[in-house]
Amino acid sequence: ETPYAKLVTQLFGDRMYIANATGCSSIWGGSEPSTPYTTNKAGRGPAWGNSLFEDNAEYGLGMFLAQDTLRGRAQEHLKALCEKAKPEMQELIKAYFDTANDGTANLNATTALVNALEKCDCDNADKKEVLRLKNYLSKKSNWILGGDGWAYDIGFSGIDHVLASRDNIKILVLDSQVYSNTGGQSSKASPKGAIASFASTGKKTNKKDLARIAMSYPDAYVAQISLGANPMQAIKAFKEASEHNGPAIIIAYTPCISHGIKGGMEHSIDMEKLATESGYFLTFRRSPENGFTLDSKNVDFDKYEEFLNSQTRFNMLKVINPDKADELLQANKEYAMNTYNYYNDLNNKG
């Protein structure tokens, strides 16, 4: 999980709001008295908040609506101030509005504007209001972050609400395919045949295709990423999601200790790579502006058994449930092949 959080904060952390669902990501992400989120040399860093497991998407949407409302209020006072300001101040205000939707550029323009306003002798009500709301002037990057137990199961209705909102807010799902923080229970993200709590003889149903559901909203940006498979594709997905003026969801494949990876978690990056190469976890991007792109190239389903056999959650099925093991794991592979065919058809349609 942490490499994904590190990457997204390296890209947007100096202007980022994070609403974090309770789970693994909140335990390592905000346990007192320390937090891994830091500021850069300019003293800027993410604003982080943690909500309940079941309402994190709504919590994050509320954070966005609150700061966006205050930003709009500050901008109205800024427009009124511009009408009576000196030419030098008008230029700074114009530079601010010219970059209003450009994150880093707007942050720099805001800094220059606020510094000038604080030194300005133009003492009036609009200036006071702008300075009172100065922390909301810059363009923020609003992210909702959590695991698959939250996103696929308990908090799914909130995810659906955010995707339907058309608001400029982003969702990062850390897809470990199991309830990692509460004991390794099966979730709707768990694939068929996987062994987990409440699925001790292998899960009998297929993994929920959250990305396909999300793509039913034409205004939403949707992507699946796997850092070990293609780091540049992951970076591209984050940047495209950020630049999209509307909701976005990125689903990141996240190996977990509950998977029982042979050799331990030090091989998690190798698992991410093999998951995509074998067709188990596809990487792609769907942009409302540019259509669908299947980034998984040269998928080799001959590697599928190698992937399954490298994890205890699958290879122990033949010991625990020998009568159904081959049937469940073959069904797992067939589902992956059908999923690939579906997304490959989308890719061919452009």
Side-chain angles (χ1 to χ4, degrees):
E1 292 185 352
T2 49
Y4 292 109
K6 181 179 180 181
L7 176 58
V8 72
T9 53
Q10 284 176 320
L11 291 170
F12 315 116
D14 58 354
R15 53 190 178 87
M16 191 176 188
Y17 281 32
I18 301 174
N20 200 155
T22 296
C24 277
S25 56
S26 73
I27 300 307
W28 57 253
S31 296
E32 294 293 349
S34 64
T35 173
Y37 296 103
T38 59
T39 57
N40 60 19
K41 291 181 180 179
R44 299 167 182 157
W48 184 93
N50 167 231
S51 185
L52 300 172
F53 199 68
E54 65 269 22
D55 68 359
N56 186 56
E58 295 90 331
Y59 174 65
L61 181 59
M63 288 171 65
F64 165 78
L65 292 173
Q67 67 84 21
D68 194 53
T69 298
L70 292 170
R71 187 181 193 226
R73 189 176 300 168
Q75 288 176 337
E76 288 303 313
H77 287 288
L78 197 55
K79 289 174 184 176
L81 177 63
C82 188
E83 295 176 1
K84 351 170 196 184
K86 295 178 180 179
E88 301 83 17
M89 185 63 68
Q90 288 179 336
E91 284 299 313
L92 289 171
I93 294 173
K94 182 178 183 299
Y96 167 83
F97 281 109
D98 286 345
T99 61
N101 294 313
D102 186 345
T104 301
N106 186 246
L107 184 58
N108 294 332
T110 301
T111 302
L113 174 62
V114 169
N115 287 339
L117 281 173
E118 288 177 336
K119 296 173 184 176
C120 174
D121 59 2
C122 47
D123 196 19
N124 60 57
D126 288 312
K127 173 196 167 182
K128 289 178 180 177
E129 276 302 293
V130 170
L131 289 178
R132 187 177 71 84
L133 298 168
K134 64 182 181 181
N135 290 334
Y136 302 98
L137 272 172
S138 62
K139 176 72 172 176
K140 303 299 190 296
S141 187
N142 295 271
W143 287 83
I144 301 171
L145 187 150
D148 55 272
W150 157 70
Y152 283 72
D153 281 356
I154 294 175
F156 172 70
S157 61
I159 296 263
D160 181 69
H161 186 67
V162 169
L163 293 175
S165 71
R166 303 182 75 179
D167 287 317
N168 194 2
I169 187 164
K170 321 303 174 185
I171 301 168
L172 173 59
V173 179
L174 301 168
D175 189 1
S176 67
Q177 306 184 349
V178 69
Y179 279 84
S180 306
N181 189 54
T182 53
Q185 296 92 346
S186 174
S187 81
K188 290 188 183 71
S190 303
K192 182 176 282 190
I195 294 172
S197 295
F198 304 126
S200 58
T201 58
K203 186 164 175 272
K204 304 301 188 292
T205 57
N206 287 316
K207 183 182 192 290
K208 181 178 183 178
D209 195 340
L210 182 59
R212 193 186 302 198
I213 295 170
M215 283 194 287
S216 66
Y217 291 104
D219 299 314
Y221 178 92
V222 183
Q224 285 195 172
I225 63 173
S226 181
L227 263 178
N230 192 336
M232 286 309 301
Q233 186 263 352
I235 293 171
K236 187 178 291 186
F238 277 125
K239 294 186 74 173
E240 288 176 349
S242 176
E243 291 165 3
H244 172 60
N245 187 24
I249 183 168
I250 296 177
I251 302 166
Y253 180 60
T254 311
C256 173
I257 194 170
S258 297
H259 294 181
I261 297 170
K262 286 185 178 178
M265 285 295 287
E266 65 187 87
H267 297 287
S268 59
I269 296 296
D270 298 328
M271 283 297 98
E272 290 175 14
K273 183 178 181 181
L274 185 57
T276 297
E277 287 178 344
S278 66
Y280 175 85
F281 187 90
L282 302 175
T283 56
F284 53 78
R285 293 164 289 128
R286 197 291 298 271
S287 164
E289 296 81 15
N290 301 314
F292 183 88
T293 302
L294 181 63
D295 294 303
S296 288
K297 307 297 183 186
N298 304 314
V299 171
D300 184 359
F301 282 103
D302 288 339
K303 294 183 177 180
Y304 206 86
E305 283 74 18
E306 178 189 350
F307 175 80
L308 296 182
N309 289 331
S310 65
Q311 300 179 37
T312 303
R313 61 172 172 160
F314 294 117
N315 62 34
M316 280 300 291
L317 191 63
K318 293 179 181 179
V319 176
I320 293 172
N321 190 3
D323 294 336
K324 292 289 185 180
D326 290 341
E327 178 186 331
L328 287 170
L329 296 181
Q330 182 59 32
N332 179 312
K333 182 177 180 179
E334 289 174 359
Y335 175 76
M337 295 174 75
N338 290 334
T339 300
Y340 171 78
N341 290 335
Y342 172 79
Y343 286 114
N344 194 42
D345 286 344
L346 283 184
N347 187 62
N348 292 334
K349 290 174 184 175

